[in-house]
Amino acid sequence: MSAPIAAPAAVVFDRVTRRFGSGEGAVDALADVSLDIPRGSIFGVLGESGAGKSTLLRLMNGLDHPTSGRVLVGGTDLASLAPRELRAMRHRIGVVFQHFNLVGNLTARANVALPLRLQHRRDPERVAAMLEFVGLSALADRYPAQLSGGQQQRVAIARALVTGPELLLCDEPTSALDTHTTAEILDLLQTTRTEFGTTIALVTHELDAVQAVCDAAAVFERGVLLDTVAVPRTTRQREQRYLDHVRSRLAS
């Protein structure tokens, strides 16, 4: 009996360097980075400010291209795409931002519907389903200023998922939130992977977030990939996380 064929990686960085400037003033935001993000995983990108995390994310979204090397998303080299093809590829990639980036004069419902409108699509049932998925059906007609930080991030996640992306890029999605709300958002990301099979790249400087939900993580420092490590998932860790979550609820 032949061995099963492994699914291709969702994202591949193939000896990627991104250099800014030239001559003696040149700076490598990323230096000869090679890594694979497995399909269907929650993959952490961990490092302090200046480690190259934001550049890595921009390369995965096709907003920037490598100075050398290749970034493959779903087997496609993003730098090889024409502008129209790249726009179509971005419809398969959702992004969740640190500070939510909601449109202030649109309701939660309208914010979630916005990516569909930009694609000239109207699907109120899909919008309603995403709001229900993130637990905000009852708040659909509220504006961002009427929502807590955690609720705004839930709207942002629903907006990122409404087009059914294969890849979800999360740029420091919990760093503006308190401990209790952070646990809820991380739980929602886990449910997203379980429910939709979405590959999630979690860009963060928070080790606790990586330990809580990631299958593996790439550790960066000053543009250099130091290591790629598996994150152990033990019963004890899950129990401790649950207890911490309960304690935070009781304290609030």
Side-chain angles (χ1 to χ4, degrees), residues 9-14 16 35-37 70-74:
V11 182
V12 175
F13 282 77
D14 178 20
V16 169
L35 66 86
D36 292 359
I37 298 180
R70 300 184 303 161
V71 178
L72 309 178
V73 175

Side-chain angles (χ1 to χ4, degrees), residues 222-240:
R222 296 182 182 179
V224 175
L225 175 59
L226 298 181
D227 200 3
T228 302
V229 296
V231 179
R233 307 246 54 84
T234 67
T235 301
R236 177 59 185 160
Q237 283 178 318
R238 288 193 293 268
E239 289 174 348
Q240 186 61 50

Side-chain angles (χ1 to χ4, degrees), residues 190-206:
Q190 283 189 310
T191 304
T192 297
R193 189 260 296 269
T194 301
E195 187 77 14
F196 305 117
T198 312
T199 304
I200 299 174
L202 177 62
V203 176
T204 182
H205 67 276
E206 298 175 333

Side-chain angles (χ1 to χ4, degrees), residues 56-99:
L56 198 85
L57 188 141
R58 288 175 59 82
L59 293 176
M60 282 192 274
N61 200 26
L63 294 174
D64 196 6
H65 296 305
T67 305
S68 62
R70 300 184 303 161
V71 178
L72 309 178
V73 175
T76 299
D77 182 353
L78 296 184
S80 71
L81 299 178
R84 185 172 182 177
E85 295 171 322
L86 186 57
R87 286 193 296 271
M89 172 64 79
R90 289 200 189 111
H91 294 164
R92 297 161 53 187
I93 304 171
V95 184
V96 177
F97 301 94
Q98 177 180 0
H99 295 295

Side-chain angles (χ1 to χ4, degrees), residues 2 12 22-23 34 43 52 54 62 71-72 76 81 96 116 120 130 152 167 191-192 197 201 215 217 222 225 236 243:
S2 60
V12 175
S22 59
S34 292
F43 190 89
S54 295
V71 178
L72 309 178
T76 299
L81 299 178
V96 177
L116 296 176
H120 306 289
M130 288 299 97
Q152 289 186 62
L167 175 64
T191 304
T192 297
D215 304 302
R222 296 182 182 179
L225 175 59
R236 177 59 185 160
L243 289 172

Side-chain angles (χ1 to χ4, degrees), residues 154-224:
R154 286 175 178 271
V155 173
I157 291 172
R159 179 183 61 186
L161 295 175
V162 74
T163 58
E166 301 165 15
L167 175 64
L168 183 64
L169 307 178
C170 299
D171 185 10
E172 301 276 6
T174 60
S175 63
L177 305 175
D178 61 35
T179 302
H180 167 65
T181 309
T182 289
E184 292 184 335
I185 294 301
L186 293 176
D187 284 343
L188 182 57
L189 293 179
Q190 283 189 310
T191 304
T192 297
R193 189 260 296 269
T194 301
E195 187 77 14
F196 305 117
T198 312
T199 304
I200 299 174
L202 177 62
V203 176
T204 182
H205 67 276
E206 298 175 333
L207 181 58
D208 287 348
V210 169
Q211 290 175 327
V213 297
C214 292
D215 304 302
V219 182
F220 283 85
E221 183 177 321
R222 296 182 182 179
V224 175

